[in-house]
Amino acid sequence: MLGLPCAIALLLTGVTVASAESLTNRETQIVARATPTQNPTSPVLRRGSRGQDVAELQIRLRELGYFNNPNLGNFGPITQQAVRQFQSDRGLRPDGIVGQETRQALALIPPSPKTPEVPTTPPPQPTATQPPPPAAKPPAAKPPAAKPPAININYNLPKGFQTAIALLKNPSFVEAPPRDPSGKMSHVKTITGPIAPKSIVHSGQGLFFAQNMMYRHTITVYDRNFDLVKTIPDSIKFSDFGFSKFTGNHRGSPVEASFSPDGKYAYVANYKMYGSGFSRPGNDRCSPAGRHDDSFMYKINTETLNIEQVIQVGPVPKFNTVTPDGRFVLVSNWCGWDLSIVDTQIDQEIKRLKIGRYPRGIAVDSNSEFAYVAVMGSTQIAKINLNDFSLTWLNNVGRSPRHLNIDPQGKFLYTTLNGEGTVAKINLETGKVIRRISTGSAPRSMAISDDGQFLYVVNYHSNSMSKVRTEDMRVIHTVRTNHRPIGVTYDPHKRQVWVACYSGSVMVFQD
């Protein structure tokens, strides 16, 4: 009689129910439930989707070498980028959406009657729906002939069984720890050194960038072991990047960062530049009438941790984000009262869109159709159509909206209200605020969990960080931080929250 481990091994080697005759009744039922359903009417999957179908997709992408995130069941930006890369390699439209054609190419469903079947042996040949991958693509992107059929795991199985299967399929699999049932967070680590972090941002691939402004003129990069990987100085020679206008050495003042969907590049905005040719720096009280100097954003390769390009943006860029489809970097220019739109294919600003007095936080929906920009000198949030750059407004959201987060399904927008000291939840269908709560004195930045269930809000004057349940906007735990918490980011791999304290430290909490 075979035990459960043997049943798992049979699953992973492609053994079918018919070849598992010696299993017990219960083990045979498990194998049967774990075989592919081959349902051509499976739902379309896109960013924000959740559940069994998403988990099955992620395991298949992992088998093909496109996906290495340990968390299953939530279709986030990493999954979206993996799908796009797979689609591009197979000659499909790289929209990041898993419809029937993409499912078919992934072998999650059989070919439709109208489409020629793709043979499993010998190795696949080019067809109308499955052109050959580029020659430079590693073999992992093209399953070898001997590879057994993909196994669709039924995620109604016990949690331990799912984990065992994932572990055997991928020895590097590390399951994210469960949250504390009480909702409480615990302090894990405090990182200190010659730092003054204004922000801390997770790459999505295990690196954390702390931007240390003009006080240190550095970006410090850490890994998940809390070790310092590199200190990147903000000094550059513009001539190295094709800018002949500026001579000599220059320094920046790193303020905020964002990452490409695959985590390969960091985009770090500088509050202002120092050196020859920069004589009209901006400040926190300014306007376009001041004709302040434009600043620059650094593009940093996250493998080499070197600055590869510098990109001109507006005066005093306070926040930036990369759209989920990787097309644009959006940069809010505090003193220009506008938004820089940077094309990532050419690493240049292609448009500067007037927004209003003191634009700051930015959030983009999962389909990269709309961007939302908090206009801190108002009670409004700008809504920008990223196809034609037309502008509409969410009105009367509260005084001085500062930071924005959007939930994975794009139904709700969350904002800190600097003028009211509250956090608001906005229904994006109606554009109306449906709840306001107080988390502490001067809530500044926020991070949202990958499943959208929790917000993590830093309270600048309270020296604290609050965990908010988004469903009912209830504060379920608040922890003390060091002086002046100002930035926050979330690592779903370890369910940890990193907090940048302006006073000179980064604190890490277990969720």
Side-chain angles (χ1 to χ4, degrees):
M1 181 179 297
L2 295 175
L4 188 57
C6 292
I8 298 173
L10 286 170
L11 280 172
L12 302 182
T13 55
V15 175
T16 63
V17 176
S19 62
E21 295 175 353
S22 60
L23 298 178
T24 65
N25 289 338
R26 173 168 170 74
E27 288 164 343
T28 302
Q29 291 168 6
I30 290 174
V31 174
R33 292 206 308 270
T35 54
T37 58
Q38 298 188 341
N39 178 11
T41 61
S42 296
V44 172
L45 302 178
R46 53 168 48 91
R47 187 169 175 180
S49 299
R50 299 179 189 174
Q52 171 185 340
D53 290 309
V54 174
E56 293 171 354
L57 164 68
Q58 290 164 329
I59 285 180
R60 182 59 176 148
L61 290 169
R62 180 181 292 157
E63 290 172 340
L64 297 176
Y66 290 91
F67 182 80
N68 61 6
N69 192 288
N71 298 313
L72 302 177
N74 182 46
F75 197 128
I78 296 175
T79 304
Q80 185 181 50
Q81 179 61 25
V83 171
R84 282 201 185 97
Q85 187 61 55
F86 172 82
Q87 290 169 326
S88 179
D89 290 344
R90 296 304 174 97
L92 304 173
R93 181 187 176 189
D95 57 7
I97 298 172
V98 182
Q100 183 164 334
E101 189 175 16
T102 300
R103 282 181 175 274
Q104 205 165 279
L106 285 162
L108 289 173
I109 60 172
S112 65
K114 296 181 181 179
T115 306
E117 291 192 4
V118 179
T120 56
T121 56
Q125 299 298 316
T127 70
T129 57
Q130 189 179 9
K137 183 69 187 176
K142 180 179 178 181
K147 190 171 184 66
I151 298 297
N152 266 5
I153 298 172
N154 186 317
Y155 277 77
N156 291 322
L157 294 176
K159 180 69 173 175
F161 190 79
Q162 298 172 30
T163 302
I165 291 174
L167 182 60
L168 288 174
K169 277 182 171 289
N170 179 11
S172 64
F173 176 87
V174 178
E175 186 183 15
R179 292 188 177 100
D180 187 319
S182 70
K184 292 185 176 180
M185 298 176 290
S186 58
H187 177 240
V188 174
K189 180 74 174 180
T190 297
I191 300 169
T192 57
I195 59 175
K198 177 67 183 292
S199 63
I200 182 83
V201 186
H202 181 216
S203 70
Q205 300 293 329
L207 292 178
F208 301 82
F209 278 47
Q211 287 59 242
N212 297 305
M213 291 284 282
M214 68 286 289
Y215 310 113
R216 297 294 183 181
H217 286 290
T218 62
I219 303 150
T220 43
V221 183
Y222 307 93
D223 62 20
R224 285 193 171 110
N225 295 320
F226 319 121
D227 293 326
L228 177 65
V229 178
K230 185 176 181 179
T231 297
I232 304 172
D234 66 7
S235 57
I236 61 166
K237 284 187 176 180
F238 276 101
S239 58
D240 292 342
F241 304 99
F243 290 88
S244 57
K245 175 182 177 181
F246 306 105
T247 59
N249 294 320
H250 289 77
R251 293 194 298 176
S253 45
V255 58
E256 282 284 356
S258 61
F259 291 86
S260 58
D262 57 10
K264 290 183 179 179
Y265 292 100
Y267 296 88
V268 179
N270 290 283
Y271 185 96
K272 58 184 176 180
M273 303 301 296
Y274 292 80
S276 174
F278 295 92
S279 58
R280 299 183 67 86
N283 50 57
D284 282 349
R285 293 182 179 275
C286 53
S287 74
R291 303 177 64 84
H292 299 288
D293 299 323
D294 280 352
S295 190
F296 284 79
M297 180 169 63
Y298 296 163
K299 179 182 180 180
I300 299 174
N301 186 312
T302 58
E303 291 186 5
T304 64
L305 295 178
N306 293 326
I307 300 171
E308 288 196 354
Q309 188 56 272
V310 298
I311 303 166
Q312 186 169 352
V313 291
V316 187
K318 280 288 187 93
F319 195 83
N320 66 286
T321 193
V322 182
T323 56
D325 62 6
R327 284 186 302 159
F328 303 124
V329 187
L330 309 179
V331 186
S332 56
N333 302 308
W334 183 261
C335 291
W337 296 8
D338 53 24
L339 185 79
S340 290
I341 299 171
V342 173
D343 187 325
T344 59
Q345 295 299 307
I346 59 175
D347 290 334
Q348 289 182 9
E349 180 187 57
I350 59 170
K351 191 174 184 64
R352 204 173 287 187
L353 189 64
K354 285 295 180 184
I355 297 294
R357 188 167 172 256
Y358 302 143
R360 203 185 186 289
I362 309 170
V364 184
D365 69 6
S366 61
N367 294 322
S368 301
E369 293 179 357
F370 295 100
Y372 300 86
V373 181
V375 185
M376 202 163 161
S378 74
T379 60
Q380 296 177 306
I381 294 173
K383 180 180 179 181
I384 302 163
N385 185 316
L386 292 176
N387 294 312
D388 60 12
F389 303 121
S390 58
L391 191 64
T392 55
W393 297 93
L394 303 179
N395 295 309
N396 302 316
V397 300
R399 296 196 310 275
S400 300
R402 183 185 189 274
H403 194 93
L404 300 178
N405 286 137
I406 192 168
D407 82 300
Q409 296 183 332
K411 294 181 178 179
F412 301 103
L413 188 69
Y414 304 92
T415 181
T416 54
L417 297 170
N418 205 63
E420 300 180 8
T422 60
V423 179
K425 179 178 182 179
I426 302 166
N427 184 320
L428 286 176
E429 185 175 353
T430 65
K432 303 298 184 183
V433 173
I434 56 177
R435 187 77 188 271
R436 285 188 179 89
I437 61 162
S438 176
T439 58
S441 178
R444 294 290 175 88
S445 300
M446 300 183 294
I448 190 167
S449 61
D450 57 320
D451 56 14
Q453 294 183 20
F454 298 98
L455 294 171
Y456 307 88
V457 186
V458 289
N459 306 301
Y460 190 70
H461 291 313
S462 295
N463 299 324
S464 65
M465 186 261 291
S466 297
K467 179 179 178 180
V468 177
R469 187 168 56 211
T470 56
E471 182 180 17
D472 56 5
M473 293 300 285
R474 177 187 171 195
V475 176
I476 60 174
H477 192 218
T478 297
V479 293
R480 298 292 298 173
T481 68
N482 289 342
H483 200 53
R484 298 294 186 256
I486 188 67
V488 60
T489 194
Y490 185 75
D491 177 10
H493 180 96
K494 297 187 74 173
R495 297 203 197 285
Q496 289 179 341
V497 187
W498 292 54
V499 176
C501 298
Y502 224 167
S503 53
S505 64
V506 174
M507 302 184 73
V508 184
F509 297 88
Q510 187 66 49
D511 186 13

